[in-house]
Amino acid sequence: MPNSVKDLLAAANSSVPAISPQDAKALIERGQVLVVDVRDGLELQSTGKVQGAKHVARGMLEFKADPDSPYYDNAFDREKTVIVYCASGGRSALAGKTLQDMGYKDVRNLGGFKGWAESGGAVEKV
């Protein structure tokens, strides 16, 4: 039986731990963290992004995260903690689950960008 989006999100949310903006800030300050924004480019242009975050549109994530892909981005490192976020948390949950399936061991879901910005998290223009 095929999975619905609701089923996929439930599985992703049960597998990828959520992280608060405060905890994300603390991890970022310690280093060895990759923050990934999986929103579309137009979303970034209108709101900015987490300072220092790597933008990888959701549709390119697997290609950017796989060292065997010609599109691989060496910012991706399976030894780093990866924090993913999007606009509301759905795409980032699915992205986090995908990264786990690809062998990334410590993946966290920050959820939506708005929560980060409202908590006083550093934002940069795109």
Side-chain angles (χ1 to χ4, degrees), residues 29-50:
E29 287 173 6
R30 282 187 266 179
Q32 288 302 312
V33 174
L34 172 64
V35 181
V36 180
D37 186 321
V38 296
R39 297 177 297 158
D40 293 331
L42 291 175
E43 291 173 285
L44 271 74
Q45 289 175 3
S46 67
T47 63
K49 65 181 180 118
V50 170

Side-chain angles (χ1 to χ4, degrees), residues 57-69:
R58 176 67 192 94
M60 287 298 294
L61 182 67
E62 293 84 348
F63 300 99
K64 295 284 189 175
D66 183 353
D68 294 328
S69 166

Side-chain angles (χ1 to χ4, degrees), residues 17-33:
I19 187 170
S20 70
Q22 295 75 20
D23 289 343
K25 288 174 197 170
L27 278 175
I28 292 166
E29 287 173 6
R30 282 187 266 179
Q32 288 302 312
V33 174

Side-chain angles (χ1 to χ4, degrees), residues 1-123:
M1 180 171 157
N3 284 325
S4 67
V5 169
K6 183 179 177 180
D7 295 334
L8 293 170
L9 284 170
N13 283 319
S14 70
S15 180
V16 181
I19 187 170
S20 70
Q22 295 75 20
D23 289 343
K25 288 174 197 170
L27 278 175
I28 292 166
E29 287 173 6
R30 282 187 266 179
Q32 288 302 312
V33 174
L34 172 64
V35 181
V36 180
D37 186 321
V38 296
R39 297 177 297 158
D40 293 331
L42 291 175
E43 291 173 285
L44 271 74
Q45 289 175 3
S46 67
T47 63
K49 65 181 180 118
V50 170
Q51 186 173 16
K54 174 68 86 173
H55 173 241
V56 178
R58 176 67 192 94
M60 287 298 294
L61 182 67
E62 293 84 348
F63 300 99
K64 295 284 189 175
D66 183 353
D68 294 328
S69 166
Y71 300 102
Y72 176 65
D73 184 325
N74 63 8
F76 283 86
D77 179 344
R78 288 184 172 102
E79 300 306 313
K80 289 182 179 178
T81 297
V82 180
I83 299 172
V84 290
Y85 71 92
C86 62
S88 63
R91 288 174 288 178
S92 55
L94 296 172
K97 178 72 169 89
T98 296
L99 289 171
Q100 286 178 335
D101 291 346
M102 293 179 73
Y104 288 81
K105 295 169 187 70
D106 187 7
V107 182
R108 321 269 180 105
N109 183 2
L110 180 57
F113 175 77
K114 184 177 179 183
W116 171 265
E118 288 177 349
S119 75
V123 174

